[in-house]
């Protein structure tokens, strides 16, 4: 355990992982449709997030899922279903998962090195959604605090379970 080394991966290009394509109405255009695919479970039973097909007039479509905040507002009835047309279509990337038919559970898909495979995901959310504000920078003061806290712990008083 003493000789273990942390292996860091190369950081990807520095940018927000979220990209907005504009509102649903602008993305699908005139005569486009928002078609729910799981409305009973999502809206009536409140068991999951609403998934919709955003369909253009020419029949092409993409699938998007309502964000957690959108679902809270839909369930609280502070957001009407009709208002989905005004929400932003946001692209991000998440861990890909597949249904294991033997266990009936979803499992992450891993690449040959054991890392999760990422897939493109579309979400309906509020404009201005930006994950970059969640980035934390460690300062020299943070490290100094951690070092002083480490010295004040009496390790002999800790009990291993």
């Amino acid at each position: 355990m003493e000789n273990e080394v942390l292996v860091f991966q190369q950081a990807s290009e520095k940018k927000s992982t979220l990209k907005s394509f504009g509102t649903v109405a602008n993305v699908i255009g005139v005569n486009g449709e928002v078609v729910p695919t799981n409305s009973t479970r999502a809206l009536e039973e409140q068991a999951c997030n609403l998934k919709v097909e955003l369909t253009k007039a020419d029949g092409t479509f993409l699938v998007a899922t309502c964000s957690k905040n959108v679902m809270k507002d839909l369930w609280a009835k502070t957001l009407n279903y009709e208002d989905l047309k005004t929400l932003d279509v946001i692209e991000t990337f998440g861990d890909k998962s597949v249904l294991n038919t033997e266990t009936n559970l979803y499992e992450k898909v891993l690449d040959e090195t054991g890392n999760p495979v990422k897939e493109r995901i579309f979400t309906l959310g509020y404009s201005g959604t930006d994950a970059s504000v969640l980035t934390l920078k460690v300062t020299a003061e943070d490290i100094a605090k951690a070092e002083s806290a480490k010295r004040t712990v009496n390790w002999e008083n800790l009990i291993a379970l």
Side-chain angles (χ1 to χ4, degrees):
M1 185 114 165
E2 288 179 28
N3 294 331
E4 257 186 81
V5 176
L6 293 175
V7 178
F8 287 83
Q9 297 179 3
Q10 186 64 34
S12 60
E13 184 181 339
K14 297 290 184 189
K15 64 177 184 176
S16 171
T17 58
L18 301 177
K19 176 181 178 183
S20 175
F21 288 93
T23 66
V24 170
N26 288 335
V27 168
I28 60 177
V30 174
N31 294 322
E33 296 179 338
V34 178
V35 181
T37 61
N38 63 342
S39 59
T40 300
R41 285 192 39 80
L43 299 175
E44 294 174 23
E45 298 171 11
Q46 298 184 8
C48 59
N49 287 22
L50 180 66
K51 194 173 274 194
V52 295
E53 290 179 357
L54 304 178
T55 307
K56 291 179 143 190
D58 66 4
T60 58
F61 71 94
L62 65 84
V63 176
T65 304
C66 291
S67 72
K68 183 178 178 181
N69 287 337
V70 167
M71 290 311 302
K72 284 180 184 178
D73 292 345
L74 280 171
W75 293 332
K77 306 227 184 294
T78 57
L79 180 72
N80 295 318
Y81 180 76
E82 186 76 14
D83 296 332
L84 294 183
K85 296 183 285 188
T86 66
L87 298 176
D88 276 12
V89 178
I90 302 166
E91 173 196 54
T92 189
F93 291 87
D95 294 342
K96 184 175 184 175
S97 60
V98 293
L99 180 64
N100 179 329
T101 54
E102 293 177 13
T103 63
N104 209 27
L105 298 173
Y106 281 91
E107 298 175 352
K108 286 185 182 179
V109 176
L110 304 177
D111 65 16
E112 58 279 349
T113 60
N115 294 315
V117 172
K118 299 293 183 186
E119 70 178 335
R120 191 177 192 197
I121 298 170
F122 294 100
T123 303
L124 300 187
Y126 295 110
S127 63
T129 303
D130 184 359
S132 65
V133 298
L134 302 176
T135 301
L136 299 174
K137 295 274 187 198
V138 176
T139 65
E141 184 180 303
D142 295 329
I143 292 173
K145 277 186 197 174
E147 286 300 315
S148 66
K150 193 179 352 177
R151 288 190 291 274
T152 61
V153 173
N154 182 348
W155 296 102
E156 293 174 4
N157 289 338
L158 298 177
I159 300 171
L161 300 176

